[in-house]
Amino acid sequence: MKTVGVVLSGCGVYDGTEIHEAVITLLALDRAGARAVCMAPDVDQTHVIDHRTGQEMPGARNVLVEAARICRGDIRDIRDVKSAELDALIFPGGFGAAKNLSSFAFQGADCTVHGEVTRLTRDIHQAGKPIGTMCIAPAVVARIFGGEIRLDLTVGSDADEAAVAIGRMGGHHVDTPVTDIVVDAANKVVSTPAYMCARSISEAATGIEKLVGRVLEMT
C-alpha cells in the first residue's frame, strides 16, 4: 500500500485548509487504495476568520488542532514526519497555505515558508518522490525551491497575481483550465488550479482526482 502525506494548514478556506480540496484528496487516495498520513504544523494560525462574513475574529486557534477536524483526529505534527515514511506528498490549498504554512498572503514572492514544511518537502524531492500541490499551494512549493529548480506549476490563469509571483520566485507558470493538471515530469511535481478557478465542487474534484492519480503513478 502506498503512503501519501497530506499537509494541512488549519480548517476553512479563509484561514486554513480548503475543506473540499482536502476531503476530495483524501477520498481519491482512499479509492485508489493508498493510505493518507495527515499532518500540520503545531503553531497558532495567523488569524481567525468568520467564514460567514469574511471578517477577522478575536482569539487564537492552533493549526494542528483545527486541521484535526478534517481528518477525524488522525493527524500528526509535521515535525515528527520523515520522508522515509512516505511515498509522496500532497498540499491541498486554502489561504492557510499562504498564511500559516508560509507568509505568501502578506509578502508575495518575498515570503518565507515554515521550517518543517520546507524540510519535509525538500527531503521528499531529494528522495525522488512526487509532490502534488493545488490551489494557492503551488506558490509555497515555488518559494521552497526558490529558483534552484525551475518548476512547471499552475494556479490556473497566467494573469493571477500568484502566477506572477511564481515567476518571480523562479518557477514557470503554465496557464491551465481548472479540470486539468500540469505535470513537471523531471521534478515529479504535479499541480492543479482547484478553487483558484473552480466554480463548483465537481470542477475542483475533476482536477484534484487527476492530480492524485498522476502522483500515485509517479511513486
Side-chain angles (χ1 to χ4, degrees), residues 17-87:
T17 302
E18 210 300 315
I19 297 170
H20 291 175
E21 292 176 3
V23 172
I24 292 165
T25 298
L26 295 173
L27 179 59
L29 288 170
D30 186 62
R31 283 179 168 168
R35 183 174 73 96
V37 175
C38 293
M39 65 193 78
D42 185 6
V43 295
D44 283 345
Q45 293 181 187
T46 299
H47 55 206
V48 180
I49 299 294
D50 183 335
H51 280 62
R52 299 168 302 166
T53 66
Q55 300 301 308
E56 188 171 349
M57 297 171 58
R61 295 184 185 179
N62 179 277
V63 172
L64 182 62
V65 171
E66 292 301 300
R69 296 174 180 271
I70 295 175
C71 47
R72 300 173 62 86
D74 186 8
I75 196 164
R76 293 172 62 184
D77 186 336
I78 193 170
R79 71 179 180 182
D80 298 327
V81 181
K82 310 300 181 187
S83 64
E85 303 175 53
L86 306 175
D87 296 299

Side-chain angles (χ1 to χ4, degrees), residues 91-107:
F91 289 84
F95 276 108
K99 294 177 177 179
N100 302 327
L101 302 186
S102 73
S103 59
F104 183 78
F106 312 107
Q107 296 178 297

Side-chain angles (χ1 to χ4, degrees), residues 14-217:
Y14 299 127
D15 59 9
T17 302
E18 210 300 315
I19 297 170
H20 291 175
E21 292 176 3
V23 172
I24 292 165
T25 298
L26 295 173
L27 179 59
L29 288 170
D30 186 62
R31 283 179 168 168
R35 183 174 73 96
V37 175
C38 293
M39 65 193 78
D42 185 6
V43 295
D44 283 345
Q45 293 181 187
T46 299
H47 55 206
V48 180
I49 299 294
D50 183 335
H51 280 62
R52 299 168 302 166
T53 66
Q55 300 301 308
E56 188 171 349
M57 297 171 58
R61 295 184 185 179
N62 179 277
V63 172
L64 182 62
V65 171
E66 292 301 300
R69 296 174 180 271
I70 295 175
C71 47
R72 300 173 62 86
D74 186 8
I75 196 164
R76 293 172 62 184
D77 186 336
I78 193 170
R79 71 179 180 182
D80 298 327
V81 181
K82 310 300 181 187
S83 64
E85 303 175 53
L86 306 175
D87 296 299
L89 195 65
I90 294 180
F91 289 84
F95 276 108
K99 294 177 177 179
N100 302 327
L101 302 186
S102 73
S103 59
F104 183 78
F106 312 107
Q107 296 178 297
D110 298 320
C111 69
T112 58
V113 179
H114 186 280
E116 291 297 332
V117 175
T118 297
R119 184 265 311 166
L120 183 59
T121 305
R122 283 183 171 275
D123 286 353
I124 287 286
H125 175 73
Q126 188 170 5
K129 299 174 182 180
I131 298 167
T133 182
M134 64 194 72
C135 191
I136 195 63
V140 178
V141 174
R143 178 70 280 166
I144 287 171
F145 293 103
E148 296 169 22
I149 51 176
R150 188 173 182 266
L151 295 174
D152 289 335
L153 296 164
T154 192
V155 292
S157 171
D158 282 336
D160 194 283
E161 289 183 10
V164 175
I166 284 172
R168 287 184 57 202
M169 291 185 287
H172 173 237
H173 187 266
V174 182
D175 192 61
T176 308
V178 65
T179 54
D180 209 350
I181 59 177
V182 167
V183 180
D184 185 324
N187 294 299
K188 292 190 175 181
V189 175
V190 186
S191 52
T192 191
Y195 272 107
M196 291 293 284
C197 302
R199 294 169 295 179
S200 68
I201 190 171
S202 60
E203 276 193 346
T206 299
I208 293 168
E209 288 165 357
K210 287 180 181 178
L211 179 147
V212 169
R214 191 70 183 95
V215 166
L216 289 174
E217 286 174 5

